[in-house]
């Protein structure tokens, strides 16, 4: 017989029973809405929108799921607290980009260190609660914009020859016509790799 045949064989099949109830926040992708920058001046009051995803990796429907977001100051006092009723999430489903008009807040009135806390709950006992919470640090400064709070969480260069690091904004003054005052823009390289030395840095300032 002149013919071509393809044969497939499957070996060592393991069937694993997943847990009944297990919801999780997107800790791996770090998909959480935070402030405009990690550090922003108190004079610039933005409407900060809190947003995230929730996934049901359990085998049964998660009922009465709730998403809670709080913001605490350095003393632990709450400056924001809202719980959003999500409802039911079927097994294997992900609710993406969960936003709500009540899940927003203005930049706090006082400079200081704040913490944004995301948490999720449901009616049934969660198999793994380690992925049910997420905390994000936030600094409200006097006049400084910064994409990071410390050098440890600042930008990390990749393998490309060009890097776009983002925008730093001048702060708005109370002068006529709401003009922007001058600002000092500074960049610091901390423990830079050898291949970074000698390369150019381009800074653009727009009005």
């Amino acid at each position: 017989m002149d013919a071509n045949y393809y044969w497939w064989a499957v070996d060592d099949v393991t069937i694993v029973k997943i847990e009944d109830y297990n919801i999780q926040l997107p800790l791996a992708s770090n998909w959480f809405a935070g402030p405009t920058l990690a550090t922003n001046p108190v004079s610039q009051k933005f409407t900060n929108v809190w947003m995230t995803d929730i996934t049901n990796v359990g085998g049964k429907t998660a009922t009465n799921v709730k998403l809670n977001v709080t913001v605490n100051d350095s003393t632990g006092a709450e400056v924001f607290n809202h719980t959003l009723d999500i409802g039911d999430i079927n097994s294997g489903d992900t609710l993406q980009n969960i936003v709500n008009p009540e899940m927003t807040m203005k930049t706090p009135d006082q400079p200081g260190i704040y913490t944004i806390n995301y948490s999720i709950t449901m009616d049934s006992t969660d198999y793994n609660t380690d992925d049910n919470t997420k905390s994000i640090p936030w600094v409200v400064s006097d006049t400084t914009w910064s994409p990071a709070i410390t050098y440890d969480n600042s930008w990390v260069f990749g393998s490309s020859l060009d890097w776009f690091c983002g925008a730093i904004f001048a702060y708005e003054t109370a002068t006529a016509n709401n003009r922007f005052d001058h600002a000092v823009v500074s960049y610091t390289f901390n423990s830079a790799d050898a291949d970074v030395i000698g390369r150019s840095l381009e800074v653009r300032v727009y009005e």
Side-chain angles (χ1 to χ4, degrees):
M1 182 171 59
D2 186 11
N4 293 321
Y5 293 93
Y6 294 90
W7 300 90
W8 292 89
V10 179
D11 192 10
D12 297 330
V13 176
T14 301
I15 299 176
V16 179
K17 183 181 183 298
I18 62 175
E19 54 274 2
D20 288 338
Y21 301 102
N22 190 359
I23 56 176
Q24 61 182 210
L25 291 169
L27 300 185
S29 63
N30 200 32
W31 185 249
F32 298 89
T36 306
L37 288 176
T39 301
N40 61 271
V42 68
S43 63
Q44 302 300 296
K45 296 202 175 298
F46 291 92
T47 298
N48 301 276
V49 180
W50 313 131
M51 178 184 69
T52 189
D53 297 344
I54 303 177
T55 300
N56 180 9
V57 296
K60 294 185 178 180
T61 298
T63 58
N64 196 27
V65 177
K66 298 179 183 295
L67 170 64
N68 175 255
V69 178
T70 63
V71 178
N72 300 81
D73 64 17
S74 58
T75 69
E78 286 186 353
V79 297
F80 177 84
N81 188 331
H82 183 73
T83 299
L84 182 63
D85 292 324
I86 303 298
D88 299 346
I89 304 178
N90 294 327
S91 173
D93 285 354
T94 297
L95 297 186
Q96 295 181 309
N97 303 330
I98 301 170
V99 293
N100 185 273
E102 300 298 325
M103 300 284 281
T104 61
M105 70 169 288
K106 290 285 188 179
T107 301
D109 293 330
Q110 298 297 321
I113 301 174
Y114 296 83
T115 305
I116 307 163
N117 305 290
Y118 286 81
S119 65
I120 52 175
T121 59
M122 61 178 167
D123 280 340
S124 301
T125 301
D126 200 311
Y127 173 81
N128 178 19
T129 58
D130 291 341
D131 50 17
N132 287 11
T133 58
K134 170 69 175 183
S135 295
I136 303 171
W138 180 18
V139 172
V140 178
S141 67
D142 291 325
T143 58
T144 303
W145 288 95
S146 176
I149 297 174
T150 66
Y151 286 123
D152 293 337
N153 60 6
S154 57
W155 291 303
V156 177
F157 289 138
S159 58
S160 173
L161 295 178
D162 300 307
W163 306 283
F164 176 69
C165 291
I168 306 298
F169 303 95
Y171 59 92
E172 186 175 332
T173 66
T175 55
N177 301 321
N178 289 325
R179 299 287 294 176
F180 285 86
D181 199 355
H182 70 280
V184 176
V185 180
S186 62
Y187 294 84
T188 301
F189 292 92
N190 185 52
S191 300
D193 294 334
D195 61 349
V196 176
I197 298 174
R199 293 184 179 174
S200 61
L201 173 66
E202 179 180 349
V203 179
R204 300 184 181 185
V205 179
Y206 297 92
E207 182 177 3

